[in-house]
Amino acid sequence: MTAWSELGEEERRLFIAESEELVDTLESGLLALERGEVDAGLVDEIFRAAHTLKGSAATAGLEGMAGLTHAMENLLDEVRAGRRSPGSGEVELLLRAVDFLRETLAAVAAGEHPPEPPEALYAALDAAVAGGETAAAVPASTVAGTTPDTGATSDTGAGSTGNGRTASAPQSQPAARADWRVEAQLDPECPMPAVRALQVLLALEPLGEVVASDPSREAIEAEWSGRVVRVWLRGGDREAVGAALRSIPDLTRVRVEPAAPPSPQRQARSAEDRTIRVDVDLLDRLLNLVGELVIDRGRLARVGQRLAERNGAQDLAEELSRVTAHLGRVTGALQEVVLKTRMLPVAYVFRRFPRLVRDLAAQLGKEVELEVSGEDTELDRSLLDVIADPLLHLVRNALDHGIEPPEERLRLGKPRVGRLLLSASQEGHHVLIRLEDDGRGIDPDRVRATAVRKGLLSPERAAALGDREVLDLLFAPGFSTASNVTDVSGRGVGLDVVRKNVEGAGGRVEIESTPGRGTAFVLVLPLTLATLRALLVRVDRDVYAIPLASVAEVLQVEPAGVTSLQGRWATTVRGRVVPLFWLRQYAEPGFRPGRPARPVLAVLVHHQGRWVGLVVDRLLGEQEVVVKGLGRLLAGVRGLSGVTILGDGSLALILDVPALIACLAADAARDAARNPSDASRDPGPASSRDRGSPAETGPAGGEPTPPRETAATA
Amino acid sequence: MPNPAGDRQEEQLVLFRLADEYYGLDIGCVREIIVWQPVTRVPRTPPFIEGVINLRGQIIPVIDLRRRFGLPETERDRSSRIVVVEIASVVTGLVVDAVSEVIRLPTSAIEPPSEVLAVDAAFIRGIARTDQRLIILLNAERILDHAEQEALAAGAAAATEAAAAATGHGGGDGDERGTS
């Protein structure tokens, strides 16, 4: 056994990373238990986490941690064996132990001396185990039914003898040499468990070599009062074992199985054997290299095209094109794999919140129910790192300032228990993380007043701001609506930092709030910081990349097919009205397209279940592009999700189609609002009398409503 | 502002020209100076943001300092440069008319900006006089902070508007109900 201080840097890091995951599992399991989700699988999972922690703590030479996890394991084993139903007292106790484990890990991470577990905690755990012994035992038949075999080596009952703390953790693989693992369950009413256990050992000894047993022979002879005896036996066979044990009284169940595979824990371990931990920096470098490769592949393809145009080089060009195509497939696959290695479910970030919310709510005297959904949604690892702190901040905010105390809620006619919804979902190329509370909401007037008081705005400007713009003030540096800075959320990090972090990663933060009803923050994040297939288009001198996933098809629209609706242009595609936006309007907001005299090229994109046409000058082809962020300065730009470097080193802006359409639609709406009387006028030189009904034939309607062909008089 | 030369009571400045005035940037924040190259414009940004360039694989935003300071615009020519500054690990390019030299300046020669200058006082760290030249010392950090604020505000305003339009109607038909 090594001392913790002798661990190498790498070992220490691995130990911490692994242990943190296990502590997380332990904690989320305990919280689920507290919510009443008692099932054998769950208890088992918690037990296994504690057990594995014990093993690795012992290996790392962290005796305090090993001892404490051992005590936890004892209590959990009682629960697992059905002798103890996990009440809030037990869960609280175990959670306190979890806190200690975290402290230990933090100390180890910081290179400090790990703390000693408090005596009181041991005493409480031991007492809980002892209490469990005297509690009414569950009939053996149920025990058998609800206790799946885990193959874990536990020291059942050892805690009650008071030696739980000092007992060194048993080897995690006590019986690598064993052929059989024998488990005998004793009748809970059995008056002399130690005698029966010894009988089991004695009966098995003649059959082969007893490699290990749990409890050990010494423990049995000292004083033992557990209910499960496990023996690892080398040699012998299944029938002989069964026969040898048959004559021993008070055994309610005997299980004999090969010592090696089918135990679930072993299986889990073999899966672990096939995974390795990789430094994220390495993955980052790998991704960058793949990115370079993708760019070079694009260049190679261009060289091939040029070669093909040259006389006498046809065969070379053809071969180059074949090689390039193959290279393309390989790079594509490589890229996919690299990206996949970087994806993690958001659960990695989400799972700390149940505990956090529970503790914070208690601390603030609030009652809050946290509902989490979409934890399986995957996100690039680096983005998970980015959102962890902002989310933490938002959750704290919601509990501190959003959700009201129970009495206030009742007075307002709201349910006593506040609700906090944390969800993740994927929408197109984005992952949305939404945190919604049903609390006070944000009062725009209070925000205005605060902004003025803090000198961020003049009273006149504040008054002139719309309510939505006012909400945006929350993100201004140095702004905090909390009238009193509290221990919970007044830590100097404001929403401005939240926004900065999220936008720095190419995402954005949106906020919705209704006073008295609640607030929702939405983090809109790119799926990955990686690459995508895009359609390259040219408008004037600008090149844009439209993510292929958004593109439905490309159309040539004849002038006669362009109709006017509500002062806007549209066309009809297979009976559906498709609004047309000139992409030029994006870079030149003042541009007003007239009725086209020649056919126009429209890229049909999906938008909210409809089609919208983006009119472009030219198509440049389809290409894999490496997404690069626009950087902090330009993170807030609407309509773009990044930029990419083309084969010739020039840049193309990658369009964020939903935001772009929203942007163009907003322009049009503003135009219409500015000149309401013009709504009937044709957007261009042409004119139209057709106003239709706004509700049905709004330009983004795209409904299969037959468009009333307008008097296309141009 | 990092002031590595402070101990020696001296500062090293990169001197550049903008509309016939001399400006100085602390050399500590200047990463490199490159010849002006065509910039890819980025729509819907404040006018002083010229766009982005590809600096050996890194995408960096470029700010037109003339426009930033409200000075008259001119044609770019062979002496136009992009001063690439790095502050708090954020790299940004600043377009200037010409870079003249790197000078050392005794800290004592730097005075607070007292005169009325063409440039917003918020961007100025001080002024210095040498060889009958007036040098305006810029606070690059402040310039970038402001740029960032304004760019974000522009984006946020667009977002607000778009959201309003979206709430009003999917395609915006002039109905702006969604503003609350």
Side-chain angles (χ1 to χ4, degrees), chain A residues 503 542 568 585-586 667 670, chain B residues 41 44 57 152 156 161 172:
Chain A
E503 287 177 346
D542 303 315
R568 316 259 296 272
Q585 286 171 302
Y586 180 50
D667 286 353
R670 198 180 37 231
Chain B
R41 64 174 169 169
R44 314 279 167 143
L152 280 180
E161 220 169 70

Side-chain angles (χ1 to χ4, degrees), chain A residues 22-46:
Chain A
L22 288 165
V23 170
D24 285 346
T25 308
L26 203 55
E27 187 176 80
S28 61
L30 288 170
L31 291 172
L33 217 53
E34 190 180 45
R35 285 194 301 272
E37 296 168 22
V38 186
D39 72 70
L42 178 66
V43 177
D44 235 37
E45 190 186 321
I46 302 171

Side-chain angles (χ1 to χ4, degrees), chain B residues 105-106 109-111 114-115 127-135 137:
Chain B
L105 202 66
I110 302 172
E111 298 161 22
S114 53
E115 301 175 41
I127 52 173
R129 258 173 237 281
T130 93
D131 311 336
Q132 285 99 42
R133 264 193 318 215
L134 180 75
I135 301 168
L137 273 63

Side-chain angles (χ1 to χ4, degrees), chain B residues 151-169:
Chain B
L152 280 180
T160 308
E161 220 169 70
T167 335
H169 189 279

Side-chain angles (χ1 to χ4, degrees), chain A residues 468 472 477 500 503 542 568 585-587 628 632-634 636-638 640 643 645 649 651 653 662-663 665-667 670 673 698 700, chain B residues 40-45 49 52-54 57 59 61 147-148 151-152 155-156 158-163 165 169-172 176 178:
Chain A
R468 251 174 199 279
D472 215 62
K500 204 168 223 170
E503 287 177 346
D542 303 315
R568 316 259 296 272
Q585 286 171 302
Y586 180 50
K628 301 223 173 209
R632 209 158 83 185
L633 184 59
L634 300 174
V637 177
R638 286 288 285 190
L640 297 179
V643 60
I645 303 173
L651 301 179
L653 301 172
C663 206
D667 286 353
R670 198 180 37 231
Chain B
T40 304
R41 64 174 169 169
V42 180
R44 314 279 167 143
T45 49
I49 291 180
V52 287
I53 57 169
N54 170 11
I59 308 296
E148 208 171 298
L152 280 180
T160 308
E161 220 169 70
H169 189 279
E176 296 213 71

